[in-house]
Amino acid sequence: MTTAVYAAGAVCWRRIDGKVHILVIHRTKYADVTLPKGKVDPGESLPQTAVREILEETGLAVVLGVPLGISRYPLTSGREKIVHYWSAEVHDGAVHSSTFVPNGEVAALEWVTPRKARTYLTHPPDVEILDTFAKLLEEGVSSTFAIIALRHGKALQASAWAGTDSSRPLTARGVEQATSIVPTLQAFGVRRIVSSTAVRCVTTAAPLAAASGLDLRKTDLISQNAWERGEADVRKVVGKRVKSRKTAVLCSHGPVLPEILREIALATGSLSGSYLSSAADLATGAFSVVHLSATNPSSGIISIETHEPRA
C-alpha cells in the first residue's frame, strides 16, 4: 500500500476596512496561488504543523479556529496527499510582526476578498475549503474561541497506591502524555487553564502552564471526588469560561467529562446528542476542542474535534 503524505494549513483571514479578506500565497517553485499549508514533520500533530507552516511561509503567528475539512488529491509520485485545514483569524498585531520576505518558496502574499480568492486559487481542493469557510461567514460564526476538555494523563492504578485517590500520581507514560500534548494545545491559543485539584490533573496541566506562561487555576468544582460526593459545580466553571469568551482548558476526570460537555451544550443553547458522548469518551491524555462563536456563544457549538497524545 502506498503511504499517504499528510499536511496541514489554514484559511487565514482578517478584516480590512470592515470587509473580510483571505490570505493567498503566490508560490515561486510551482508558479501557483494557494492557501498556506505544508507537510507534517516527524513527531508533529496536524494542528502543530498548520501553525508552524503558516509561520514559515507567511511570517504570521496564528492560532487555529474551526476545522474546515480535509482535501485529498494524487501526487505525481502516485501517493495521495491529505491536507487538514482550519480557519485562523489574523489580528493586526500578527500582521505588523510578520517577518515575511519573498523567498525561493513563496514569491508574494496577498490579501483578497473571498470572491476574488475563488478566482485566484489554482487548485480546486483549495476552493472547496474556502467555500466551507464562506459558510461560517454567512452564518456569522467566523470569530471563535474554544473550551477544551482534557482528560488527565495515565495515572497509577488505585490498587497500587496507598495514599488518597486525589494524590494518585501520573505514571511515566502519563508524564510523557502531558508533555506531548503541549504543542497541539498551544496551536489553539489557550489563554486560561483550569484543573481539578487532583494530583493527576494538576500534573497533566502543568507542562502547558509552564510552556505558555499561564497561571494554573485549581478547583474542586470539577474534581472526581467532589463529583462523586455530589459537591461538584461543573455548571459554574463552564459558565464562567463561556462568559469570558477566551480559549480555556478544563483538565478533569473520565467520569466528569460527560458533565463538562453537557454543560457546554446547555450554556450555548446546543442540541444534545451522541456527539457529546463521543467527545467526552476520551483516552487518558486526550482532549476535545469545542469551538464556540466569540460574538454570539448562544448560537451553539460550531464544531468539536478530538486529539490524542503521541505517548
Side-chain angles (χ1 to χ4, degrees):
M1 180 181 292
T2 304
T3 304
V5 175
Y6 287 90
V11 173
C12 298
W13 68 280
R14 59 189 285 228
R15 294 187 184 275
I16 303 174
D17 296 330
K19 294 182 179 180
V20 170
H21 285 64
I22 305 297
L23 179 65
V24 297
I25 63 173
H26 297 256
R27 294 197 297 182
T28 308
K29 181 178 178 181
Y30 300 102
D32 63 1
V33 180
T34 185
L35 300 172
K37 63 179 179 295
K39 290 187 291 186
V40 174
D41 279 348
E44 277 189 332
S45 67
L46 288 160
Q48 185 182 356
T49 298
V51 170
R52 176 186 57 76
E53 282 288 343
I54 291 166
L55 181 61
E56 290 178 359
E57 289 191 340
T58 71
L60 296 170
V62 302
V63 298
L64 303 181
V66 178
L68 297 176
I70 303 170
S71 67
R72 300 169 180 261
Y73 52 90
L75 299 172
T76 54
S77 64
R79 302 169 74 182
E80 182 182 34
K81 189 166 187 177
I82 302 174
V83 190
H84 291 245
Y85 285 96
W86 284 262
S87 66
E89 184 173 4
V90 180
H91 298 285
D92 289 344
V95 175
H96 296 153
S97 300
S98 173
T99 56
F100 172 80
V101 291
N103 54 72
E105 185 176 355
V106 180
L109 307 179
E110 188 173 7
W111 291 96
V112 297
T113 64
R115 178 177 293 182
K116 185 171 287 188
R118 292 190 89 261
T119 65
Y120 268 27
L121 292 169
T122 305
H123 308 289
D126 284 356
V127 176
E128 292 174 8
I129 295 297
L130 178 61
D131 287 346
T132 300
F133 173 74
K135 291 177 182 177
L136 295 179
L137 285 178
E138 291 171 6
E139 295 168 3
V141 292
S142 53
S143 292
T144 60
F145 71 102
I147 297 178
I148 302 173
L150 167 65
R151 185 180 178 185
H152 63 76
K154 182 69 176 176
L156 200 66
Q157 292 290 335
S159 59
W161 181 246
T164 62
D165 179 73
S166 62
S167 67
R168 264 198 299 137
L170 296 181
T171 63
R173 181 186 172 202
V175 172
E176 290 177 5
Q177 290 174 330
T179 301
S180 73
I181 60 178
V182 169
T184 308
L185 288 166
Q186 287 182 310
F188 295 100
V190 175
R191 297 176 63 187
R192 294 288 186 273
I193 306 172
V194 181
S195 171
S196 157
T197 51
V199 168
R200 56 192 182 274
C201 289
V202 173
T203 312
T204 299
L208 174 64
S212 306
L214 297 171
D215 291 334
L216 175 52
R217 305 180 183 189
K218 293 168 277 189
T219 176
D220 259 336
L221 298 181
I222 56 171
S223 74
Q224 184 170 337
N225 284 352
W227 180 79
E228 290 175 345
R229 296 193 303 265
E231 297 171 359
D233 195 345
V234 176
R235 176 166 295 178
K236 180 178 180 179
V237 175
V238 168
K240 186 175 182 179
R241 300 277 54 90
V242 172
K243 185 178 179 180
S244 76
R245 307 187 192 194
K246 296 176 181 176
T247 293
V249 167
L250 303 183
C251 185
S252 189
H253 311 257
V256 186
L257 290 170
E259 187 74 9
I260 290 175
L261 269 294
R262 178 175 177 273
E263 289 298 339
I264 294 173
L266 289 173
T268 57
S270 305
L271 294 175
S272 61
S274 59
Y275 75 103
L276 294 174
S277 300
S278 297
D281 186 17
L282 297 172
T284 55
F287 57 92
S288 287
V289 184
V290 185
H291 295 277
L292 307 170
S293 169
T295 53
N296 184 19
S298 64
S299 60
I301 293 170
I302 301 169
S303 178
I304 302 179
E305 57 184 295
T306 298
H307 299 273
E308 296 193 353
R310 295 194 306 271

